[in-house]
Amino acid sequence: AADDACRAKLLNVHLDLQFQNADDAISPTRWQADTFPEHARGRISILHEGIDTEIACSDRSSQLTLRSGETLSAEDDIITFVARNLEPYRGYHTFMRSIPKVLSKNTKARVIIVGDDKEGGYGPKPSQLEHGDLSWKQIFLREVESSLTADMRSRIHFVGRVPHAYLIKILQISGAHVYLTYPFVLSWSF
């Protein structure tokens, strides 16, 4: 716990140093701006990043071809999860733990998971003592594996990091997009 508090403090040092040289700063939400120390808040303007809902929206005519050659469309029951890195801070563990129940209740549902498992992300890396060289992706996939039938496994698609145009296609065919993250708010990571 003390290590985590020190780590968080050190991660914020660079921001505090930058405020000494800054005339102004921006934050995408009031909540994020209010997390800064009092001496910095007066110089922070709120500028919401936004999501282009004209592009990142359902498109019944859109199709997506997976690496396997299989084609999915908005006519399929698609559930999506997108995170820069598959890690607990982005809710990956919570999402993975839900998959067996979701896929058992909807036998047609397909899951597309976007995100890297090579980088550490914002949170701590998995403990080498507990998990060896496994990534967070592998740890939580292993955790739920015994609850997944072969059919369920075939309906889970890990696509890694993808180009923006491919990500938009994924979102266009998605029937339900899951976004779980803390302590962050909806932002550019979506």
Side-chain angles (χ1 to χ4, degrees), residues 77 79-80 95 99 103 109-113 155-158:
D77 290 343
I79 300 165
T80 55
F95 183 69
I99 287 177
L103 293 183
R110 309 295 288 266
V111 176
I112 300 174
I113 300 172
R155 294 186 283 135
I156 301 170
H157 309 282
F158 287 93

Side-chain angles (χ1 to χ4, degrees), residues 9-174:
K9 198 110 172 125
L10 284 172
L11 287 172
N12 290 323
V13 165
H14 78 284
L15 287 174
D16 205 32
L17 290 171
Q18 295 307 315
F19 267 102
Q20 294 176 25
N21 296 317
D23 294 323
D24 262 330
I26 60 170
S27 175
T29 67
R30 168 63 48 209
W31 178 85
Q32 285 172 301
D34 288 347
T35 65
F36 282 84
E38 190 65 43
H39 72 271
R41 291 182 196 163
R43 291 186 281 159
I44 300 175
S45 299
I46 308 304
L47 181 63
H48 182 62
E49 295 165 335
I51 296 169
D52 188 340
T53 57
E54 297 292 318
I55 296 172
C57 63
S58 182
D59 179 355
R60 304 308 285 170
S61 66
S62 192
Q63 292 187 334
L64 177 77
T65 302
L66 301 171
R67 285 185 204 116
S68 65
E70 185 177 5
T71 300
L72 301 175
S73 75
E75 299 302 316
D76 297 301
D77 290 343
I78 306 294
I79 300 165
T80 55
F81 178 87
V82 176
R84 182 175 174 193
N85 297 299
L86 301 179
E87 62 172 322
Y89 268 21
R90 296 297 179 201
Y92 170 70
H93 62 307
T94 303
F95 183 69
M96 286 304 296
R97 290 171 179 158
S98 74
I99 287 177
K101 189 171 188 175
V102 169
L103 293 183
S104 70
K105 292 198 176 286
N106 183 339
T107 58
K108 293 182 179 181
R110 309 295 288 266
V111 176
I112 300 174
I113 300 172
V114 177
D116 193 3
D117 70 329
K118 311 273 186 286
E119 292 183 13
Y122 290 106
K125 293 184 166 121
S127 163
Q128 285 242 294
L129 291 174
E130 284 183 65
H131 305 292
D133 288 330
L134 295 178
S135 66
W136 287 121
K137 172 189 170 186
Q138 296 162 323
I139 291 165
F140 294 111
L141 183 57
R142 275 191 180 177
E143 182 182 305
V144 301
E145 222 158 20
S146 64
S147 303
L148 297 171
T149 65
D151 171 64
M152 288 177 186
R153 279 189 210 102
S154 73
R155 294 186 283 135
I156 301 170
H157 309 282
F158 287 93
V159 296
R161 279 203 183 161
V162 297
H164 187 258
Y166 195 78
L167 175 64
I168 293 301
K169 284 200 174 289
I170 290 169
L171 295 173
Q172 287 174 337
I173 67 168
S174 179

